[in-house]
Amino acid sequence: MPTKKKVEKSTVYPVLPLRNMVMAPHIITPLLVGRKGSVEAVEKAFLGDKKIICVTQHFDYENDQEPYVKDLYRIGTIANTLQIFRLPDNNIRLLVEGISRVKIKRFYKKKGTISASFEYHDKLMDKPSTENEALYRTFKKVFLEYLRLNKNIPEEAIVSLNEITKPDEFFYFVLANVNANDTFKQAMLEIDTLEVSTKKMLQFLNKEIEILKLENRIDDKVKKKLTKTQREYYLTEQLRIIQRELGVGSDEKEDLLDFKKRIQQANLSEEARKKAEEEFKRLTRISQHSPEFSVIHTYLNWILDLPWEEPKMDQGISLVKARKVLDRDHYGLQKVKERITEYLAVLRLANEIKGQILCFVGPPGVGKTSLGKSIAEATGRKFVRLSLGGVRDEAEIRGHRRTYIGALPGVIIQSLKKAGTKNPLIMMDEIDKLSRDFRGDPASALLEVLDPEQNFGFRDHYLDFGFDLSQVMFITTANSLNSIPQPLIDRMEIIRLPGYTMYDKYHIADKHLIPKLKKEYTLSGKFDVKFRKDVVEAIIRSYTREAGVRDLERNLSKVIRKVVKEHIELSEEIEKKTDQESTEQLPDCYKITPTQLSKYLGVPRLLYSEVNREKAVGIVTGLAWTQYGGETLQIESVKMKGSGKVKLTGKLGETMQESAQAAHSYCREHFRDYDIAENFYSNTDIHLHIPEGAIPKDGPSAGIGIVTSFLSVLVDKPVRADIAMTGEITLSGRVLPIGGLEEKLIAAKRANLKNVIIPQKNEPELTEISSEVKKGLNIVLVSTIKEVLDIAFEEPNTGK
């Protein structure tokens, strides 16, 4: 590797310390010299052979202090002084041209003037190669891109660039003109190899280019935005002048005047009025073509469209009228109706809504939503229904903040605007179907809405001021309380709506559904469709499985539609006949019989569980509660040789599995009482199965049924087929109370089971169950397993 290096041992030249700059070889640079020692060094060099060593000092001193030798770098540039010009203030303006890179061997200082001995130390250059040529071209290309983006490089420097042909001279040109600090430039000057220093400079330039591009993009955006804003302002002002000259623009003024008048006349709260007046002032100062104009315009409309006037309350809420409306729209539900009339009586007396929020809980189709409509009619309130099923964003309750595009108030404020009054009845359907995700918990937002102690100042995020909800009557509905947070349940009074009995469903169909469908299909005056009682009961029993009446209504509607179709087809056939003597006439009434149901509705689906009708060993009929109402439960057990294991099948839940384990333990503890072999638990396996295995089953109320089934197979005694039972057991043999008693009794009655065994502790609930449900049932109260077995087995138990 060739080196261009020559040493002059006796040569000592003056040193010019440089502040805040680095002198590069082959570059002509103007300098301003002011310090005394530097001025003397320049004069000495100019009087001699005009050569001077330019070396950068580590840092700048205050008050033009002369630098110390230790503060000077050891690598610098020897230069020729081309011109010297003394200024009136004794400073010197100097023009120098760098000659070569030098390395200081020793500094000398005499009377403040620094000189140094040195050796030439040009950068080492590799032999010409393809790789070096590619590096040089890339370096030049990148620097030209840097010059294009950097507007601070003088044009004279760019012109002189075309005259440079040598790689080292090009590098020094870049070093002199690049926008970098002195430390970086000195580091680049001190690198001995041209290839290494070129690569490092190339990295620096690439980074600077990215920064310059980003700066230029930002500058362009700012300039465009300013230009666009100025242009819009100019055009807007021109448009205003033109409209004023032509008499156009009166609509905008009328709109603003209308807003001002409405704000003055509205009975706004103090906070709302302050907010409205502030936004109105902003609106008057904004151009109609500005995007913010429409945002404020919409906001003011929402404020002024809300009901601010105090509603005129009906002081004479008639309980007789309320009861009549409830009886007209709903059959049965006596307990529910009684609670509603109590609620209305308190409302009439206090003339305010303070107190619990009603929550109707029951299976689908039992009339929860329609009860709300009836209450609204009875109290003379506007009715608004909200469906909360699937709501997962808190903003749907509280509204979106106006910073979002397309923001709107929440469903509560929207409902008030829709109702047009401060005291509507708002029914929140499916409150148990609320969801939650990263956007918040809607159920938590409802805590304030449904709390009478807080909702007088409900703050919607969009309105951003308090709104009084204390006069709103809130009613919620749910199918189950399991998914509702406990704090929300605490704010509501729960009213449970049980499923309808067969008797109830028949009367609902006869008095409500069938007349409603006839009116809907406009049968009046044309022909009639009549359903016998046994037909309606057959539809209920064989084609529906529900606690409510929605599926019943669908099936009745299906029958009527098919009858209408038959009637129209028969009418068209009669019209086509040309025989004038034909006496065939259309029937005035179609009477539906049970045999016609398969024609209209298809094969009976037998949706309810079949019960065992003959006495059998190990088979017991239990009772269960589901969201569709009560159900019968077939409990089956068999024994086999084994090692005392209990096998459980039928998709049983954890609680029901524990009941089976408790039943087995009871049998082991009391084996002597029932003449069971002492070692049965070590050589006999029991398999418990509850049919319809695809349906999950859980709960403790099948406990007495499981014990009865186990003991039946162990003592080989059949269980009576005309009884159903429900009750939780303990290891000591006591029977504990259960829930869903009314629904379970309805299930037993539907299955035509006359005898029902229930826990003694459920006796108080019997007084609240309608006589229609209890009619025809022999309800037996028990407190121990022994009492259950005495009834369940064909013969009384002879155990000890």
Side-chain angles (χ1 to χ4, degrees), residues 502 505 534-546 551-552 555 594 597-598 601-608 610 750:
M502 173 82 76
K505 290 182 180 181
D534 57 345
V535 172
V536 177
E537 290 178 347
I539 294 174
I540 295 169
R541 184 173 52 254
S542 302
Y543 293 92
T544 66
R545 182 189 182 186
E546 58 179 346
D551 205 18
L552 174 59
N555 280 283
L597 288 181
S598 58
L601 299 178
V603 178
R605 287 175 278 175
L606 300 174
L607 293 171
Y608 288 102
E610 285 295 307
R750 185 174 60 233

Side-chain angles (χ1 to χ4, degrees), residues 130-360:
T130 305
E131 183 179 351
N132 289 338
E133 180 65 19
L135 176 63
Y136 174 72
R137 291 185 182 182
T138 302
F139 186 40
K140 189 171 185 179
K141 179 181 177 182
V142 170
F143 182 67
L144 290 173
E145 175 68 9
Y146 174 82
L147 292 179
R148 185 183 67 82
L149 295 171
N150 194 343
K151 309 300 182 183
N152 298 324
I153 306 297
E155 293 184 4
E156 310 85 68
I158 298 175
V159 172
S160 62
L161 180 63
N162 297 324
E163 301 174 1
I164 300 174
T165 57
K166 295 181 179 180
D168 59 335
E169 292 181 5
F170 183 82
F171 172 82
Y172 289 132
F173 179 88
V174 173
L175 182 64
N177 290 283
V178 76
N179 185 18
N181 57 49
D182 301 335
T183 304
F184 175 80
K185 288 187 175 183
Q186 181 66 32
M188 291 296 101
L189 183 65
E190 290 186 356
I191 296 174
D192 293 332
T193 306
L194 180 62
E195 180 183 1
V196 175
S197 55
T198 301
K199 288 180 179 178
K200 288 185 176 294
M201 183 63 77
L202 189 59
Q203 292 176 356
F204 175 82
L205 289 175
N206 283 323
K207 182 179 177 181
E208 282 296 303
I209 287 172
E210 292 300 318
I211 295 173
L212 289 170
K213 285 181 179 179
L214 182 59
E215 288 178 348
N216 289 340
R217 281 199 297 270
I218 294 172
D219 289 341
D220 289 341
K221 286 181 181 179
V222 171
K223 289 177 182 178
K224 285 180 181 178
K225 188 173 181 180
L226 288 173
T227 305
K228 183 180 179 182
T229 304
Q230 292 167 351
R231 180 173 174 273
E232 286 178 352
Y233 177 80
Y234 177 75
L235 292 175
T236 301
E237 289 300 315
Q238 280 191 327
L239 184 61
R240 283 184 179 179
I241 295 171
I242 294 171
Q243 288 178 341
R244 186 164 57 245
E245 293 297 325
L246 296 175
V248 183
S250 56
D251 290 344
E252 181 182 351
K253 291 181 180 179
E254 289 178 7
D255 196 20
L256 294 175
L257 290 173
D258 181 56
F259 269 136
K260 186 175 182 180
K261 183 179 179 182
R262 290 172 67 190
I263 292 172
Q264 291 172 347
Q265 294 179 350
N267 187 27
L268 303 178
S269 65
E270 183 178 347
E271 189 179 6
R273 183 175 298 280
K274 181 180 178 181
K275 198 77 175 175
E277 288 175 350
E278 287 176 358
E279 294 299 321
F280 177 73
K281 287 179 181 177
R282 289 183 60 201
L283 189 69
T284 58
R285 295 193 295 266
I286 296 175
S287 167
Q288 189 177 10
H289 304 282
S290 170
E292 196 173 358
F293 183 90
S294 61
V295 174
I296 299 175
H297 191 280
T298 303
Y299 177 69
L300 287 174
N301 267 325
W302 268 105
I303 293 178
L304 298 172
D305 287 344
L306 289 175
W308 292 101
E309 299 298 326
E310 290 296 323
K312 296 180 180 179
M313 292 293 295
D314 185 0
Q315 299 294 334
I317 295 177
S318 172
L319 297 185
V320 175
K321 176 187 174 184
R323 186 76 190 196
K324 192 176 292 183
V325 170
L326 292 171
D327 288 339
R328 180 197 69 195
D329 296 339
H330 303 86
Y331 181 83
L333 305 177
Q334 298 305 321
K335 182 181 176 182
V336 176
K337 292 176 181 177
E338 187 67 26
R339 176 62 189 90
I340 291 172
T341 51
E342 291 171 6
Y343 182 82
L344 297 178
V346 174
L347 176 61
R348 174 178 174 178
L349 185 64
N351 197 28
E352 60 180 356
I353 310 273
K354 294 289 183 183
Q356 289 281 0
I357 308 297
L358 298 182
C359 178
F360 297 147

Side-chain angles (χ1 to χ4, degrees), residues 93 195 279 388 439 494 539 698 793:
R93 187 176 294 280
E195 180 183 1
E279 294 299 321
L388 299 180
R439 289 169 289 190
I494 308 302
I539 294 174
D698 205 359
F793 292 149

